[in-house]
Amino acid sequence: MTQTAPRLSPQEIERIARRIDRPIVLVGLMGVGKSTVGRRLANLLGVGFVDVDEQIERAADRSVAEIFDEFGEPYFRDGERRVIARLMGETHGVIATGGGAFVDPETRALIRDKAISVWLDCDIETLVERTARRDSRPLLRSGDPHAILLALKEERGDSYAQADCHVVTDDGPHNATALRILEAIDSWL
């Protein structure tokens, strides 16, 4: 079900943008749209966008899946936290994290202290459809994606709920979701 798109004028977007004094960090399960919507949000605000997983892959010269396979999740999460800290120090733009980043207590505390955290959320069926489009999700390789995503949502929900803002996404235009994020941030500020 598509939600009604918010209607923010360019002047309202500019007013909200002026109030944002730190990076916006998008958190949530894989497939929820953090990267896609994050790019739209950054474009609306006239700021930069960075995807943490892309930065990690570039620095390691290997995919996230390869890092997971070779070194394990704890090693990956430690490196992920360092990359997020560096990016938050370098930019006041929009940062898309990996699905498990905000679950790590140290990473979550870092983000909550230095950024505006936004939990992007959607229903499991949509997540299953979106994640099926790419075979680069290490956590979905071990079984039924629907069951895995449902378990992850249950397991991670309390952590995600600690984000500053909560925005539900849908299959509507990404720009509409970006505008809903701006409305949520405006209400939170």
Side-chain angles (χ1 to χ4, degrees):
M1 180 175 169
T2 302
Q3 300 176 32
T4 304
R7 299 200 185 276
L8 293 175
S9 69
Q11 295 80 15
E12 290 171 305
I13 293 170
E14 176 58 32
R15 177 188 56 77
I16 296 167
R18 281 194 308 270
R19 296 178 64 208
I20 297 172
D21 62 352
R22 58 197 125 163
I24 298 169
V25 177
L26 304 179
V27 303
L29 286 173
M30 64 184 94
V32 79
K34 297 179 299 283
S35 295
T36 307
V37 171
R39 285 181 180 89
R40 298 288 174 103
L41 178 61
N43 187 50
L44 283 172
L45 292 170
V47 297
F49 169 81
V50 65
D51 180 294
V52 172
D53 285 349
E54 289 174 6
Q55 292 292 309
I56 291 169
E57 289 178 342
R58 188 174 301 128
D61 197 27
R62 61 183 77 198
S63 71
V64 168
E66 290 170 333
I67 297 169
F68 261 71
D69 291 345
E70 188 170 340
F71 302 104
E73 187 172 358
Y75 175 90
F76 174 80
R77 296 294 173 210
D78 184 55
E80 179 181 56
R81 180 175 36 265
R82 289 192 314 266
V83 169
I84 290 170
R86 177 180 56 81
L87 293 172
M88 287 191 309
E90 293 174 356
T91 182
H92 281 233
V94 178
I95 300 170
T97 64
F102 204 67
V103 177
D104 179 87
E106 289 179 62
T107 303
R108 185 172 56 250
L110 175 71
I111 292 169
R112 289 188 43 96
D113 185 48
K114 305 279 186 202
I116 299 170
S117 54
V118 179
W119 171 22
L120 295 184
D121 189 12
C122 74
D123 64 84
I124 294 297
E125 288 71 26
T126 301
L127 290 176
V128 170
E129 177 200 330
R130 290 177 182 170
T131 56
R133 298 176 193 161
R134 291 186 4 212
D135 184 34
S136 61
R137 316 271 187 181
L139 296 178
L140 295 183
R141 292 183 178 168
S142 61
D144 173 43
H146 187 277
I148 293 168
L149 286 165
L150 190 59
L152 285 171
K153 188 169 188 168
E154 187 76 20
E155 174 187 310
R156 295 175 174 180
D158 288 343
S159 295
Y160 292 152
Q162 294 178 47
D164 299 317
C165 303
H166 180 200
V167 175
V168 176
T169 69
D170 58 24
D171 280 335
H174 300 305
N175 205 58
T177 302
L179 290 171
R180 282 198 296 279
I181 292 169
L182 286 177
E183 286 182 336
I185 290 171
D186 190 37
S187 294
W188 179 79
L189 286 172

